[in-house]
Amino acid sequence: QAQAKELEGRLMKAGQLAVNLQYFYKLETENEVKLVDVRQNTPPKNAKGLYTGIPFIVSVQGSFTQVMNFLNRLQHGRHFCRINAANFSKTTGASGGTLVNLSLNLELLGQP
């Protein structure tokens, strides 16, 4: 029962959009990256069972270290995460430094 309760505490609720997005804003602040885009997509309607993957599209920008820390916290954070696609690119910032852009297509385990 204790493990089931712990699992339930780590699940997202698909209908709680504001709470779900707040998770990414918190990661942005903790890792000092710039959250360029974050969108929750609609979970598949034909999902069977108690759990479903809640899809998100997330884009962040920062130094290489900041972006990798964001990715690490996402993978080892409160919610179970599966990254379906990742795209890294680099740009030159306003101050002339190199910035890394990371675009992710991911799912967090949740309940419909």
Side-chain angles (χ1 to χ4, degrees):
Q1 284 182 338
Q3 289 177 341
K5 189 172 184 173
E6 180 184 342
L7 174 67
E8 293 291 324
R10 294 184 69 183
L11 297 176
M12 278 197 162
K13 309 288 189 269
Q16 295 180 337
L17 181 61
V19 174
N20 297 348
L21 295 180
Q22 189 63 37
Y23 176 67
F24 291 100
Y25 295 129
K26 183 179 176 188
L27 288 176
E28 173 189 32
T29 303
E30 291 174 352
N31 296 285
E32 300 176 350
V33 294
K34 178 182 177 188
L35 193 58
V36 178
D37 186 23
V38 60
R39 287 178 273 153
Q40 178 178 328
N41 293 330
T42 306
K45 299 228 183 265
N46 59 355
K48 297 188 182 202
L50 297 174
Y51 310 112
T52 187
I54 302 172
F56 289 89
I57 295 173
V58 179
S59 296
V60 296
Q61 183 180 68
S63 70
F64 179 78
T65 302
Q66 291 168 331
V67 170
M68 293 310 293
N69 286 340
F70 174 86
L71 188 57
N72 184 47
R73 290 276 304 177
L74 185 61
Q75 290 180 312
H76 298 98
R78 178 175 177 221
H79 301 289
F80 297 105
C81 178
R82 175 172 59 187
I83 296 173
N84 297 318
N87 184 24
F88 284 92
S89 62
K90 70 175 186 172
T91 60
T92 303
S95 63
T98 301
L99 295 174
V100 174
N101 296 316
L102 172 63
S103 297
L104 296 170
N105 182 333
L106 60 93
E107 293 177 345
L108 297 178
L109 187 63
Q111 294 177 322

